[in-house]
């Protein structure tokens, strides 16, 4: 008699990394709490920039953080309402109204999903290191500059509170790292100001906190082609700015944590998060460098739990503990952000020894990136301009690497021109002028063994050289082409001009 087969064991789901140990769980929870507190005043400030009710920015930060913690590709990165997104969509609200703003957020999210699926994240590899350094330094400067208004025309106790907060955050980790220094600083400074009755600006002064969760809805706009044509330019700009900031921030977190993230998933995830945010009445957003640095660098978070809790606790703090949160002095949060800006800045990049060793072009690209970001307060513009500057400098540098040397046979019947280097639009422009058309013998050989043809401009330059020799009754033979160069030359030769 055969024995019955035992049922196959059910596959076990992988254990979440935030349950690896009690220490990891505690770190993630406390980091989420600190970031949730830090999100409140900035979300309200970005709502003011956009011209909407403070709850719109807070709802956006809640939904963005919660959704991206599930669908995003970079663990521990914080996405919420941001200044860059606020600047892009503010004109829509001012000119067309709130319903059109929400529709723009949803359409922008759809664009991000499409761009992510098309592989836009792969373009990140074309961003040079000098642009990345400039991006980081510019972010640090912007984070600090955002705190300056909170230190102007304020009661004098604000300044010692900020200094005290910085001292606490620097010294407390030397005692214990079980609790994040920023959280300790916020609690102690709040207790001092409330207990002593010190009148200083508080979170509550920024705006009224929401008293209930957001509810889903459909934007109140006509669903016509005219509406689509009106919103599409704003939505596409929204999508590009959001993706660029998010992908650059993800790369920065990759470097800090020595881990790799799925940029394509992050791109699509940003789009999904913005679509959800739009249907819940939020103003949209993207990755936040300041809060991400608090989460990853200052608090030591490494998992999705901290991101989820940052958004969740933001709403809990607003709805359940609104009166307590409203009493938090802005000086405490300013101190946190100042420490973040100092820690984010790449001080090694501006040391005299580094600047002396670094090529002038690399330093120029970094400075241009920083200047553009600081001038426009738009990280996307700085990255684009910095990358273009780097390309121009690179093209100019490589153009000079293409060299031509001539060797005439002893009998004077043939000349061989040996071309070395990369032939592309910048270097091939000078190529035509490095041949002696009038004085050369009738048999001309161009040896491209040590060269590579990269574009149509180089093929056109070779065509022009052959044409100039043909006008003088001289024959040109091209030899030494590698396979890719030969394929391009065979396909395009004689097709690029009217000669």
């Amino acid at each position: 008699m055969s024995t019955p087969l035992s049922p196959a064991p059910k596959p076990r789901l992988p254990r979440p990394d935030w349950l690896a140990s009690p220490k990891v769980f505690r770190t993630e929870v406390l980091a989420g709490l600190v970031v949730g507190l830090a999100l409140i005043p900035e979300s309200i400030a970005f709502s003011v920039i956009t011209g909407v009710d403070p709850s719109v920015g807070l709802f956006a930060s809640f939904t963005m953080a919660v959704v991206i913690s599930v669908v995003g590709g970079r663990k521990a990165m914080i996405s919420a309402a941001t200044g860059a997104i606020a600047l892009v969509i503010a004109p829509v609200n001012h000119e067309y109204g709130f319903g059109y703003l929400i529709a723009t957020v949803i359409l922008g999210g759809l664009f991000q999903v499409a761009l992510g699926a098309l592989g836009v994240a792969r373009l990140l590899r074309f961003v040079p290191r000098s642009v990345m350094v400039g991006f980081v330094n510019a972010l640090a400067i912007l984070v600090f500059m955002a705190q300056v208004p909170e230190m102007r025309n304020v009661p004098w106790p604000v300044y010692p509170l900020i200094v005290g907060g910085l001292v606490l955050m620097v010294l407390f980790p030397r005692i214990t790292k079980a609790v994040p220094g920023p959280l300790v600083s916020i609690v102690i400074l709040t207790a001092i100001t409330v207990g002593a009755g010190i009148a200083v600006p508080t979170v509550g002064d920024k705006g009224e906190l929401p008293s209930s969760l957001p509810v889903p809805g459909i934007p109140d706009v006509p669903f016509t082609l005219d509406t689509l044509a009106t919103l599409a330019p704003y939505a596409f700009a929204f999508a590009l700015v959001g993706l660029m900031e998010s992908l650059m921030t993800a790369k920065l977190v990759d470097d800090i944590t020595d881990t790799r993230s799925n940029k394509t998933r992050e791109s699509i995830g940003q789009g999904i998060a913005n679509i959800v945010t739009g249907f819940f009445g939020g103003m949209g957003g993207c990755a936040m460098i300041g809060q991400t640095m608090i989460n990853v660098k200052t608090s030591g978070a490494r998992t999705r739990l901290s991101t989820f809790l940052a958004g969740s606790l933001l709403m809990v703090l607003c709805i359940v503990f609104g009166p307590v949160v409203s009493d938090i002095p802005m000086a405490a949060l300013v101190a946190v952000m100042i420490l973040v800006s100092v820690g984010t800045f790449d001080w090694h990049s501006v040391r005299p020894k580094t600047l002396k060793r670094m090529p002038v072009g690399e330093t120029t690209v970094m400075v241009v990136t920083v200047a553009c970001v600081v001038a426009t307060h738009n990280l996307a513009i700085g990255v684009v301009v910095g990358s273009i500057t780097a390309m121009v400098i690179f093209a100019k540098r490589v153009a000079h690497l293409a060299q031509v040397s001539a060797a005439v046979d002893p009998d004077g019947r043939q000349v061989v021109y040996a071309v070395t280097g990369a032939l592309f639009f910048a270097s091939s422009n000078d190529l035509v002028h490095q041949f002696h058309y009038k004085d050369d013998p009738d048999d001309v050989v161009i040896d491209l063994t040590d060269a590579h043809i990269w574009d149509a401009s180089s093929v056109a330059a070779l065509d022009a050289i052959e044409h100039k020799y043909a006008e003088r009754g001289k024959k040109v033979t091209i030899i030494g082409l590698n396979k890719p160069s030969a394929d391009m030359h065979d396909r395009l030769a004689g097709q690029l001009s009217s000669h």
Side-chain angles (χ1 to χ4, degrees), residues 404-410 414-418 441 443 445:
V404 178
S405 58
V408 181
D409 281 355
Q414 184 185 71
V415 60
V416 177
Y417 282 94
D443 189 5
V445 177

Side-chain angles (χ1 to χ4, degrees), residues 105 111 138-139 147 206 245 284 286 296 331 407 475:
V105 172
F111 277 140
L139 284 172
Q147 313 314 310
K206 288 290 182 180
E245 288 208 31
C286 63
V296 174
K475 177 187 174 184

Side-chain angles (χ1 to χ4, degrees), residues 127-335:
V127 178
R129 179 188 175 278
S130 51
V131 173
M132 189 67 191
V133 173
F135 169 82
V136 171
N137 290 345
L139 284 172
I141 294 171
L142 287 184
V143 169
F144 181 82
M145 289 176 62
Q147 313 314 310
V148 173
E150 305 297 337
M151 296 184 281
R152 288 178 178 166
N153 303 317
V154 293
W156 69 266
V158 167
Y159 304 109
L161 285 172
I162 293 175
V163 173
L166 291 170
V167 171
L168 279 170
M169 286 184 288
V170 171
L171 297 182
F172 190 78
R174 299 182 181 181
I175 301 173
T176 177
K177 294 183 179 180
V179 182
L183 180 58
V184 174
S185 175
I186 291 171
V187 170
I188 291 177
L189 293 186
T190 303
I192 291 174
T193 54
V194 173
I198 302 174
V200 292
T202 63
V203 170
D205 297 331
K206 288 290 182 180
E208 187 177 352
L209 302 181
S211 57
S212 62
L213 290 171
V215 292
I218 298 175
D220 183 18
V221 297
F223 293 91
T224 63
L225 290 177
D226 287 340
T227 302
L228 180 62
T230 299
L231 300 183
Y234 295 102
F236 193 67
F238 171 102
L240 290 179
V241 170
L243 285 182
M244 191 169 294
E245 288 208 31
S246 299
L247 293 176
M248 294 292 286
T249 305
K251 188 175 186 301
L252 178 60
V253 177
D254 289 353
D255 294 339
I256 292 173
T257 60
D258 290 327
T259 57
R260 294 185 65 182
S261 58
N262 188 330
K263 305 299 189 303
T264 297
R265 178 178 172 179
E266 182 62 38
S267 301
I268 296 174
Q270 287 289 328
I272 295 172
N274 274 305
I275 293 170
V276 173
T277 296
F279 280 116
F280 275 89
M283 56 179 278
C286 63
M288 295 191 76
I289 181 64
Q291 276 67 18
T292 297
M293 289 299 100
I294 293 175
N295 197 47
V296 174
K297 203 168 185 178
T298 308
S299 301
R302 293 293 183 272
T303 77
R304 297 179 184 275
L305 181 62
S306 57
T307 305
F308 177 83
L309 290 177
S312 301
L313 293 176
L314 164 67
M315 278 292 100
V316 172
L317 289 168
C318 290
I319 297 172
V320 180
F321 301 102
V324 176
V325 173
S326 295
D327 287 335
I328 295 175
M330 285 302 300
L333 299 176
V334 169

